[in-house]
Amino acid sequence: MTIQWFPGHMAKAKRQALEKIKIIDVVIELVDARIPLSSRNPMIDDIAKNKPRLMLLNKADLADPEVTEQWISYFESKGFMVLSIDAQKGTGIKKIPQLVTKLAEPLINKMKAKGMNPRAIRALILGIPNVGKSTVINRLANRKIAKIGDKPGVTKAQQWIKVGKTMELLDTPGILWPKFEDQAVGYRLALTGAIKEEIIDFQDATVFLLTFLREHYSEKLKERYNLTVLPDDIGEMYDAIGRKRGCLMGGGLVDYDRVAEVLFRDFRSGTLGRMSLEVPGNRR
Ligand code: G4P
């Protein structure tokens, strides 16, 4: 099945993001640390081009720490200010206001030069669905902010949340859609929970995952499913994992759908271990 990419939705999201950005000093771009490229929308560079930007690699608790370090260097070499965080537990969140203020230094200096009293720096969180935007906003606000889309038909007035003395955050994030430039991007997005798995071919995505895990995380795979050797053939891998996990149908045949579900769940929840599905310089 080919994933649809809706240019109309993209254009609308871009318009809305551009509208929000007008009153913003600093853009906080949120990506998934496990797939920092696939979870970005290329339009962000266009949308945020005139604003200082902080890039947050979220869900770092689920990503391979070594690979996350490589991503930090990669984005820093491209001129970004980067921070890896775990918004669910709150790790790294405290550093955000400091970095936002640092990014806004030229603006603060300009205000001072004009004899103005520097005001709080206004920030906006931008990112694709499910990347953790609301979780970050709630962490920064220290309370639960209603999510847009929580109440159908209700449009929420935007408000500023005070974060410390020097920063204000818009309480509604900017939402951008991921761009499915190829099937692999779609699989990565589904595997990390950014898009519903119903819109991709579930079995194809599982084969993609198994092929990837065999190549890059074979030890973790063996450990999790108690396998002494990993078969070369993907079908045999399904069989081996299915038997170990009791995913069987009548007649003792392995139920491939259940094996796929187990693999998907174990990857998404981090039960398989901390893993990244993308590495700088190699889209894998
Ligand atoms: P969004 O606003 O960008 O759409 O994303 P949201 O904050 O709703 O987060 C999407 C899911 O990702 C939530 O899980 C949230 O708990 C989880 N999440 C956010 N940040 C992190 C993180 O740093 N690490 C991990 N492991 N998870 C994170 P959910 O399944 O929708 O809900 P629940 O698990 O919290 O019940």
Side-chain angles (χ1 to χ4, degrees):
M1 191 203 300
T2 309
I3 300 161
Q4 297 293 317
W5 174 55
F6 302 108
H9 288 177
M10 296 283 261
K12 189 172 170 209
K14 184 176 179 180
R15 256 197 327 273
Q16 287 173 342
L18 280 169
E19 196 51 43
K20 277 178 184 258
I21 244 168
K22 281 186 194 159
I23 49 167
I24 292 299
D25 302 314
V26 173
V27 169
I28 301 175
E29 180 187 0
L30 204 57
V31 296
D32 187 317
R34 296 165 293 175
I35 52 165
L37 296 185
S38 294
S39 61
R40 290 188 91 197
N41 180 306
M43 287 190 319
I44 178 105
D45 287 333
D46 226 17
I47 294 168
K49 65 173 180 259
N50 297 322
K51 306 283 174 177
R53 196 177 342 162
L54 171 63
M55 175 169 264
L56 297 181
L57 305 178
N58 191 34
K59 308 197 184 185
D61 55 310
L62 299 173
D64 183 332
E66 259 176 55
V67 179
T68 301
E69 285 308 314
Q70 291 174 28
W71 278 117
I72 291 174
S73 306
Y74 170 90
F75 286 113
E76 279 176 350
S77 75
K78 302 228 173 267
F80 289 99
M81 193 176 273
V82 197
L83 178 68
S84 70
I85 60 164
D86 165 1
Q88 209 169 48
K89 291 199 201 72
T91 317
I93 293 286
K94 276 205 184 106
K95 289 191 188 144
I96 297 174
Q98 295 161 23
L99 295 179
V100 164
T101 311
K102 193 156 186 251
L103 277 164
E105 243 164 40
L107 177 75
I108 296 169
N109 290 340
K110 226 165 144 185
M111 287 190 238
K112 282 184 184 161
K114 284 185 185 164
M116 294 156 72
N117 257 344
R119 57 166 173 73
I121 298 307
R122 293 174 185 151
L124 165 75
I125 294 194
L126 260 180
I128 66 167
N130 282 321
V131 74
K133 297 180 297 301
S134 307
T135 312
V136 173
I137 292 173
N138 289 342
R139 280 273 169 208
L140 287 169
N142 247 331
R143 63 195 148 98
K144 201 163 170 359
I145 309 287
K147 199 170 167 172
I148 16 164
D150 277 353
K151 291 184 187 132
V154 179
T155 40
K156 191 170 152 268
Q158 294 188 135
Q159 281 177 3
W160 293 104
I161 301 164
K162 272 212 142 312
V163 184
K165 285 198 178 82
T166 53
M167 177 181 160
E168 280 179 347
L169 180 71
L170 208 55
D171 69 344
T172 52
I175 302 169
L176 292 173
W177 303 103
K179 184 168 181 188
F180 311 113
E181 41 189 25
D182 57 39
Q183 289 290 0
V185 172
Y187 296 149
R188 290 187 195 108
L189 290 166
L191 286 161
T192 53
I195 58 171
K196 289 195 174 67
E197 58 254 27
E198 292 91 63
I199 73 167
I200 47 128
D201 188 303
F202 195 56
Q203 286 298 353
D204 283 356
T206 309
V207 170
F208 175 87
L209 177 67
L210 263 184
T211 310
F212 173 85
L213 296 182
R214 187 180 52 190
E215 197 182 335
H216 301 284
Y217 294 107
S218 58
E219 286 311 310
K220 284 182 172 164
L221 202 53
K222 283 200 264 184
E223 205 179 297
R224 170 71 187 155
Y225 301 114
N226 201 9
L227 305 168
T228 38
V229 278
L230 283 185
D232 286 334
D233 181 74
I234 289 289
E236 285 174 26
M237 269 173 78
Y238 263 86
D239 284 337
I241 293 169
R243 287 208 187 86
K244 289 281 182 187
R245 296 302 305 266
C247 304
L248 301 174
M249 302 187 290
L253 290 174
V254 169
D255 183 337
Y256 281 12
D257 285 339
R258 276 176 60 202
V259 175
E261 272 165 34
V262 163
L263 280 162
F264 241 77
R265 202 177 49 230
D266 285 355
F267 175 78
R268 266 197 192 170
S269 61
T271 311
L272 269 171
R274 296 175 69 178
M275 294 175 176
S276 301
L277 292 178
E278 270 175 353
V279 169
N282 172 8
R283 297 299 297 268
R284 290 181 175 188

